[in-house]
Amino acid sequence: MTITLRPGSTVMFTGDSITDSQRLASEDGLGFGYASRVAGEWGLRHPDRPVTWLNSGNAADRVSDLEDRWQADVLDARPDVVSILVGINDVGRHTYDPDGHVVSAEDFAAAYDRLLAPLADTGAALILVEPFLLPISGTIEVGDTHIGVEIRKEWRADLDPKIQVVRELARQYGARLLAADGMFAELAATSGPEHWAADGVHPTPAGHAALAAAWLRLVD
C-alpha cells in the first residue's frame, strides 16, 4: 500500500550522511542527494500537490545520535511522513573512530524502536530505508584508517542482522520498507558496485537517483 501525499503535507528525511548530503550547503536545505531528487521529481510530476520537504540528516549519525536530537529535529516539525535511513555507522564507526564502540543488533533495535514509538502516536506515515553496503574492491581511507576487504566483510556480517531489525520494525509499525540493500545488490551485479557507491557506502549520483526512484514508488 502506497502513502498518499496530499497538498500541504510535510515530509521529513532524516538519518546519516547519505541523507545529509551537504544539506547545510544547499539553498533549499535538502542537500545534493536522494532527498533533493525526490522533491524535484515530485514537483515535476505533481505541480498541483505542493509538499514541504525537510531534511534533518547528520553526517556520521548512529541511531543513538538520532535519538538524542529526535524531539527537536523531527517530532517538533510535526511531519506527516518520516523517512529514515540509518545503520551503517552503527556497523562501522568503531573501526575508525577512537570514541566508537560496537553496537549490538539488540541495542540497535531498542534505540530504533524508541524513535518510532512516538511517531506512531502522531499518526505519521513511515518509510524505513534499509542500510546498505556494496561489495567494492580495494581499500578506502576513512580518516587515518585503511578499510580493506576483510574489514568490509566484518561490516557485512554485522550489517545483516541490523537490516533484519529494520525489516521487522517496518512490519511492526506498518511502515513502508525501501529494500535498498537488495536493490543495490541487484544493480551492482550488472553495472559493478562502484558505479552506485564508490566507497561502498555513499551513493554516487547514479546511486542517489536509484534511491530516489525507489522512494517515489512508495508514494502516490
Side-chain angles (χ1 to χ4, degrees), residues 122-136:
T122 70
L126 301 174
I127 295 176
L128 305 189
V129 185
E130 291 178 354
F132 51 85
L133 180 64
L134 280 76
I136 63 165

Side-chain angles (χ1 to χ4, degrees), residues 56-145:
S56 62
N58 270 353
D61 267 10
R62 299 158 298 188
V63 69
S64 60
D65 299 308
L66 283 183
E67 188 177 5
D68 288 342
R69 59 189 182 85
W70 201 241
Q71 183 68 48
D73 284 4
V74 176
L75 298 180
D76 286 353
R78 298 185 178 182
D80 300 290
V81 180
V82 178
S83 175
I84 306 170
L85 169 52
V86 69
I88 193 61
N89 292 309
D90 293 89
V91 168
R93 188 162 153 183
H94 69 278
T95 60
Y96 55 82
D97 182 352
D99 297 323
H101 62 274
V102 175
V103 179
S104 69
E106 292 76 16
D107 287 346
F108 178 78
Y112 209 134
D113 183 68
R114 290 193 294 270
L115 300 180
L116 300 181
L119 289 170
D121 294 336
T122 70
L126 301 174
I127 295 176
L128 305 189
V129 185
E130 291 178 354
F132 51 85
L133 180 64
L134 280 76
I136 63 165
S137 59
T139 299
I140 61 170
E141 292 185 17
V142 180
D144 296 327
T145 304

Side-chain angles (χ1 to χ4, degrees), residues 156-170:
R156 167 51 66 182
D158 193 12
L159 179 63
D160 286 341
K162 292 181 171 69
I163 290 174
Q164 292 303 320
V165 165
V166 175
R167 292 173 180 172
E168 178 55 37
L169 287 171

Side-chain angles (χ1 to χ4, degrees), residues 202-217:
H202 298 92
T204 60
H208 277 291
L211 274 178
W215 196 99
L216 285 162
R217 288 194 287 271

Side-chain angles (χ1 to χ4, degrees), residues 141-190:
E141 292 185 17
V142 180
D144 296 327
T145 304
H146 294 270
I147 308 294
V149 173
E150 292 306 313
I151 291 178
R152 287 197 297 275
K153 286 180 180 178
E154 294 175 5
W155 286 8
R156 167 51 66 182
D158 193 12
L159 179 63
D160 286 341
K162 292 181 171 69
I163 290 174
Q164 292 303 320
V165 165
V166 175
R167 292 173 180 172
E168 178 55 37
L169 287 171
R171 287 191 289 269
Q172 179 180 335
Y173 282 93
R176 298 293 292 152
L177 178 71
L178 198 169
D181 190 62
M183 176 190 76
F184 278 124
E186 290 184 10
L187 292 172
T190 57

